[in-house]
Each structure stands twice: as C-alpha cells, then as structure tokens.
Amino acid sequence: MSSLFNDDSLKSIAEAYEKYEKELVPEWLKKLPERMEEFNTLSWIPVKRIYTPLDIKDHDYMEKLGFPGEYPFTRGIHATMYRARLWTMRMFSGFGGPEETNQRLLFLIKHGETGLSLAFDYPTLIGIDPDDPMAEGEVGIVGVSVPTIIDMDIIFRNIDMSTVTTNMTINPPAPVLLSFYVAVAESKGVPRHKIGGTTQNDPLKEFIAQKSYVFPPEPAVKVAMDLIEWSIKNIPKWNPISISGYHIREAGSTAVQELAFTIADGIEYVRQLTARGLDVDEFAPRLSFFWDSHINFFEEIAKFRAARRMWAKIMRDWFGARKKRSLWMRFHTQTAGVSLMAQQPWINIVRTAIEALAAVLGGTQSLHTNSFDEPFRVPSEFAAKIALRTQQIIAYETGVVDTIDPCGGSYFVEWLTDEIEERAWKYIDRIERMGGMLEAVKKGFPQREIAEASYRFQQEVDAGKRVIVGVNMFVEEEEEDIRKVPLLEFNQEEIEERQKQRVKRIRSERDKARWSTALSNLKRAASRGENIMPYVLEAVKAKATIGEIMGALKEVYGVYVEPPIY
Amino acid sequence: MSSLQSISEEIKAKRPLKVLVAKLGIDGHDRGAKVIARALKDAGFEVVYTGIRQTPEQVVMSAIQEDVDVIGISILSGAHIHHVKKLMEKLKEIGADDIPVVVGGTIPLVDIEPLKKMGVKEVFLPGSSLKTIIETVRRLAIEKREKEKLLT
C-alpha cells in the first residue's frame, strides 16, 4: 500500500474543512455571493469550491499514479519526458497543389518545425480525382490535392524522407496515400525500415464525427485493418493508425465522450486485429492516438492523464499485452478548432496558447497549434508562424517542461482525472453491452450523444451561461479587426485547372497494360477478402489515380449513405 | 397588434414555416447544420435536413419537392462561392428564385458581398447566435409567404 495520507491527518483536515464550509464561507457569501450558482467543466462535471486531500483520500499512489515510464503511465509514457525530448512540433499543413504545399513545408521546417503533417483537400479526403464533377470548386482549398504518385513526389522535393516523419490525415483512401508515400520514399532510395510517420486511418470516427467516409462501416474497418497489418510487417516505424478523438470533440462532444468513444474505437480495432491472428504485442506498440485540447484547462489535462491510465489498463488486463510499449498511449494533440471565433480573431492566438499549454501539461508526444485566421481560411504563413512560435515559447521560455507532470498531486487535477475516468468507463460499459463500437456506430449511439451535447452547449452560449469573449461578452459592434486579418491568397481556379490537366496527362502517358492489370488484380484481391495493400501499392506505381483505385474498391465494397438525422 | 403581425400570425396558422437545411459540396462538417436544424425545429419550424454531400441540383430539387420557405446552406469547405453561385443559377433556371437563401460557415468577410450579389439574403459567420439565425429565417419565411399571398 502506498496511501498518501494517514488517518489522523485526514481527520484533522476533515474537521477544518467542515469549519471552512459551514462557518467561514457563509460569512463571505453574505458579503459577496459567488459569481454563479454552479460551476462546471465543458463536460458538465460540477466543480467544487475547493479540493483537499479528502477528495483523494483513498488514493494509492503506486496504483493510480506511479512513475513516468511505468504502469499505469498516468504521469507520462517516458521516464524522462520533456527533459530529454520535447514533443514533435507538427503543423497540419497543405493547400493548393503539391508545389504550394512543398513551399509551405519548407517554410515551416526553416522556422523550426520538427515533424510534418499533411492536410488534404476534400476530393483527396474522399478519394476522387480533381476532374471528377463532385470535385468542382473544391480542389486545393482545405488542403493539398494529391491524386497521383507524381503529386506526392512534388510535395517532398528537397525534403529528406529518411529522417522526417510525416503525418497524413487521411482515412478511407489511406492505403492509397500511404502507397504514394512509400513508393516516393523508395524511389529516393529510403529503405523501408526508415520510413516513418502516421496515417490517421481511423474509420469508426468517420461515421461518428468526421464524415469523410466512403465505404460502409464493415468494409471500411476491414480496409483500415489491412493497412495496419501490412505496415507492421513492412514499414515497422510507421504508425498505421491514429485513433482520433479530435474530430469527435470538434463535432460537439464533451471531453468525457471524446475520451470514451475514442478508447472504445481503440478496443474495437484491437479486437479486429487479434481476430486476424495477430499477437497483441506485435501491433499494439504501433497504435497511436489523437486528442483535442480544448479551452477548459484542467479538464483537458485530466483527460490526457486519464486516457493514459485507461489504455494501459485495457491493454494489460483485457488483452494481455506483455510488452511495456504495448501499454503506452502515445498521442498527438491539436488545439481546438471549434474554440476559434470569427469575432476579434486576434484573440484566437491566446486561446490556442492556453490549449497548447494544457496539451503539454498533459504529456503529449506531438502537437499542432491552430492559427488565429482559421475561422476564415487555411492559415497564412504569418499566422502559421505565430502558431508554431507559441509552441516554441512553451517549450523554451516557460519552464513547464522542466519537471514531469507538474499538475500531478494537485487535489483538483487528481480528483478530476478520477472523475473523468469513471464517467468514461460508464460509457465504455454501455458500448460494450451494445456489442462494441462497430455495433454502437451502426445504431447511431455516439452520433446521437454528440448531437445532444453540441446542442446543449450552443444553447448555453446563446443564453450567456457559457461565456465566449467577443461573442457573447465584450462584443464589439464595429468589427474593424476582422478586415485587418491578412488572409492567405491563392488562385484556386488556376490550381484546380492545373491539377485537372496534370491528372489527365498522367492518365494518357502511363503504361496502359500495367495500369489495367494492377487495377483488375486489386479488384480481385478485394472481392476475395485478401489484404489489399500490396495491390494498391502496385496500382499507384502503375500510376493509377486515387479516383480510379477508390472507384475499383467502391465497386467491391459499396458506398455508405448516412441517414440524415439531426 | 399591427396589421403585419396579424398577417404573419394568419400565415403561420395555416401551416408551419418550413426550412431546408442543406450541406452543399463534399465537406463533412455537419455540427453547425445539425444544431441549426434542431434549433429551428424547437422554434416551431418544420425542418428538412438533407445530410452531407449535396449537389446544387439536389438541393434545388429538395427545396421544390418539400415546398420550403427558406433554404439554409452550411459550408465549411471554403468552396462557398463556387457552389452557391451554381445553386442560385439553378434556382433561377427553374423559376424558384423566390425562395430566400441564407448561408453559414467559415466564410471570409470579403466573400460576403459577392454572395449577397448572387442573391443570398444573409451570411452567418462562426459565432453567430441561434437567436439571430432563427429570427432572420423567420423574417425571410414570413416575407415569402406574404408575397405569395399578394400574388394569389
């Protein structure tokens, strides 16, 4: 036993606490009432006036916290954390065509970014070519257009793919984009064991929140598991999945729902992979996570700590993982896009800084900081640089990185970590009773829970119960500031035309026989239920486009249409 | 009660004001659309929500088939100029440009004027209150019903 407090001291604290609440506080309240009747977090967890040892009196230190690098990893997954290595500063970037994005990546690298993260445009995200009628007007706006291996090659001009790691936020077409990446790296002579990065490749949260789904849930999960299985055997440094809470949160969930649904997604994937006959310790060390860091500061820190503890427990006790690395919840974090406002946009810089600080105090392995101009458009260089500098200030000026888990031991943070964990377990229990997350998603359970929470939140904002500075308090009538924001300018129509022409040229110049064999082999493999990855890789090398590869797969797997429920 | 108010009450009494909430283009950000759909419903509107990935043609067809009083478009992909232009052209082409259109999403200020020139009645940026949106939609719907009344 490693109890934190002895009975005698708890007793005297309890007496003093009672005196405080019953005598001192009422006296003060008579003079000045508190600002609100009830204080609560963004997950509607009530927050008390003060937290004391009484709130964590039963804590067994070794069981709940332990040491960084040791089970249950509450305080961090590495023994030395940021004292040895800072998080990777990884800015989610991409716009226009591959040329524009290559320039942006080189700009960020020059200013101290330490990892890459590609943002794709909508046509790429749902796996259609730039000359598909559905892509009209969408090419290159929210990210970079990457319909072929040639585009990926241009993005990585003058970038060393043997040392840099690249995250790709891509889901249904993840096998295609990963194949582009691997094929380009190989063409540059990078050995497979040096290819490092992440594919998001998290299909369940597409149905729950992000909505860039293509295939129905079952084949979508199958394809994602194909990618994971292929990656652990062929590109061992790759993180083949980033189990993502971010989009769940952005879609309006609470922190508790984000935590619970994401972990439930993770449980489903572990089950799917073990059902394929894979050993848990073979793939678990390559699973990675992705969280949102929102504005309710301590709730976020507590969420990150609870997440690590829960995942370690699940992997050890539910799935019998033996390797220490299998128990690690490694994660990327992004500050909350939804917390950015169009009103008085400059103050978004401050919101992002606070959210980034929570992510660092929560022990993230990698971080993206949003730019203040993102309520309007993808960021300008100027805005992206401020966002990157925000991370650098936290890392090099504030000193918060000098000791590990500095919030550990705070009565409030420890209590909140427990509370969030307990509430998340309740959700996981419900999902387990439904037969796991795949079934819960098909029933629309997480979707409905999120819609409820986001509606409730918006009503509170409208009623003034949730303050958003510049939106429902300290509002400025004349929004001169907005007009002063220097937005990123690029000629979208010209880029769309260039991307259309390039894909047409590639189609006309490629080896037709190799291309058509590759696509028919892919289709056959998909209909036989084989792992599609080797066939996708051959298809991209044969210069098949993303739209052609996804088209072939759609013929086999079908296309998902969501019932429009609100 | 003013005469305008009494006309409005009379109009609403016949059948509830009806709104189409539509996601135009291929972006999947449906949080806002769903919240607005629900808020309008709670405010007494009849709401039809299209779901995501709608083409301008599909939106126009739904608006006509459902005989709505207002079309509310949600776009967070930055492709608003392109898609809304097509939508307005289609509405005109089919003679349904009497249905007022409002647009919400991540829209730069410089794009508000061009959208209004196309005929969009109102543009809502991130941070717009539900109350403002509901009131605007109600006003536009009533105006449309009143025009219809004058025509018949």
Side-chain angles (χ1 to χ4, degrees), chain A residues 122 126 134 136-138 141-142 211-213 250-252 343 375 377 452 454-455 462 471 482 564-566, chain B residues 25-31 34 38-39 41-42 47 49 52-53 77 79 82-83 86 106 109 126-127 130-131:
Chain A
Y122 262 110
I126 62 167
M134 279 298 278
E136 234 188 85
E138 308 259 12
I141 299 184
V142 299
K211 312 292 172 77
S212 59
Y213 47 68
E250 293 285 297
Q343 296 76 9
R377 196 173 281 168
E452 279 300 319
S454 71
Y455 190 51
D462 264 40
V471 171
I482 300 186
I565 303 163
Y566 61 88
Chain B
I26 52 180
D27 97 277
H29 296 92
D30 60 359
R31 174 182 183 166
K34 285 178 165 180
R38 184 140 170 213
K41 193 176 150 206
D42 285 356
V47 179
Y49 172 53
I52 66 168
R53 293 188 203 168
S77 70
H82 179 90
H83 293 314
K86 287 219 150 169
T106 43
L109 249 58
L130 292 176
K131 194 168 154 253

Side-chain angles (χ1 to χ4, degrees), chain A residues 62-334:
Chain A
M62 291 309 294
E63 191 193 302
K64 289 268 189 186
L65 302 170
F67 284 81
E70 292 285 357
Y71 187 86
F73 304 99
T74 313
R75 309 203 66 180
I77 58 167
H78 300 142
T80 51
M81 286 303 288
Y82 304 137
R83 287 171 66 98
R85 189 170 67 183
L86 292 166
W87 64 92
T88 306
M89 299 181 189
R90 195 184 287 286
M91 302 296 283
F92 185 48
S93 309
F95 68 95
E99 291 85 356
E100 288 76 17
T101 296
N102 172 254
Q103 287 306 306
R104 175 58 66 89
L105 296 184
L106 291 171
F107 171 84
L108 288 166
I109 292 169
K110 186 178 121 194
H111 288 284
E113 167 170 72
T114 52
L116 304 180
S117 176
L118 289 179
F120 299 108
D121 69 355
Y122 262 110
T124 306
L125 287 174
I126 62 167
I128 59 176
D129 288 338
D131 55 350
D132 186 299
M134 279 298 278
E136 234 188 85
E138 308 259 12
V139 176
I141 299 184
V142 299
V144 57
S145 160
V146 191
T148 70
I149 185 175
I150 309 292
D151 299 276
M152 188 65 90
D153 187 62
I154 298 169
I155 292 175
F156 283 91
R157 274 183 193 158
N158 303 317
I159 295 173
D160 183 358
M161 293 173 87
S162 69
T163 51
V164 80
T165 59
T166 306
N167 169 68
M168 293 192 277
T169 298
I170 193 75
N171 292 280
V176 184
L177 273 298
L178 177 58
S179 296
F180 288 160
Y181 193 83
V182 169
V184 169
E186 282 182 337
S187 75
K188 293 181 171 204
V190 180
R192 281 196 173 174
H193 69 268
K194 282 197 171 173
I195 297 175
T198 307
T199 30
Q200 193 162 81
N201 194 39
D202 170 5
L204 288 169
K205 67 95 178 54
E206 292 300 321
F207 303 100
I208 301 172
Q210 179 156 257
K211 312 292 172 77
S212 59
Y213 47 68
V214 174
F215 315 125
E218 260 123 11
V221 170
K222 187 261 176 202
V223 167
M225 299 305 107
D226 279 359
L227 188 154
I228 297 174
E229 188 176 8
W230 184 86
S231 292
I232 57 170
K233 289 175 179 163
N234 291 278
I235 41 172
K237 260 187 74 186
W238 196 261
N239 301 309
I241 188 168
S242 172
I243 307 163
S244 304
Y246 185 81
H247 319 86
I248 292 173
R249 190 70 182 280
E250 293 285 297
S253 85
T254 65
V256 170
Q257 290 167 342
E258 177 194 8
L259 177 61
F261 297 162
T262 306
I263 286 187
D265 285 346
I267 291 168
E268 181 71 47
Y269 299 139
V270 173
R271 287 199 179 118
Q272 295 275 343
L273 291 165
T274 46
R276 288 184 171 219
L278 294 171
D279 183 89
V280 67
D281 284 313
E282 196 180 348
F283 63 81
R286 298 317 305 165
L287 303 177
S288 65
F289 286 80
F290 174 24
W291 301 114
D292 200 299
S293 190
H294 220 297
I295 196 74
N296 196 278
F297 192 65
F298 292 111
E299 180 169 61
E300 295 306 302
I301 297 168
K303 176 187 78 183
F304 298 127
R305 301 172 85 245
R308 273 192 297 271
R309 187 155 77 198
M310 291 172 79
W311 189 245
K313 187 176 174 57
I314 289 165
M315 294 310 290
R316 191 189 73 173
D317 299 349
W318 293 27
F319 295 110
R322 297 164 307 276
K323 273 194 206 163
K324 204 181 232 185
R325 285 186 79 108
S326 301
L327 313 182
W328 286 2
M329 168 173 281
R330 296 177 299 135
F331 61 90
H332 173 71
T333 307
Q334 178 167 342

Side-chain angles (χ1 to χ4, degrees), chain A residues 341-345 347 351 376 469-471 479 482, chain B residues 125-128:
Chain A
M341 293 296 142
Q343 296 76 9
Q344 305 178 38
I347 63 175
R351 293 190 175 103
F376 306 105
V469 172
V471 171
E479 282 284 355
I482 300 186
Chain B
L125 301 184
S128 303

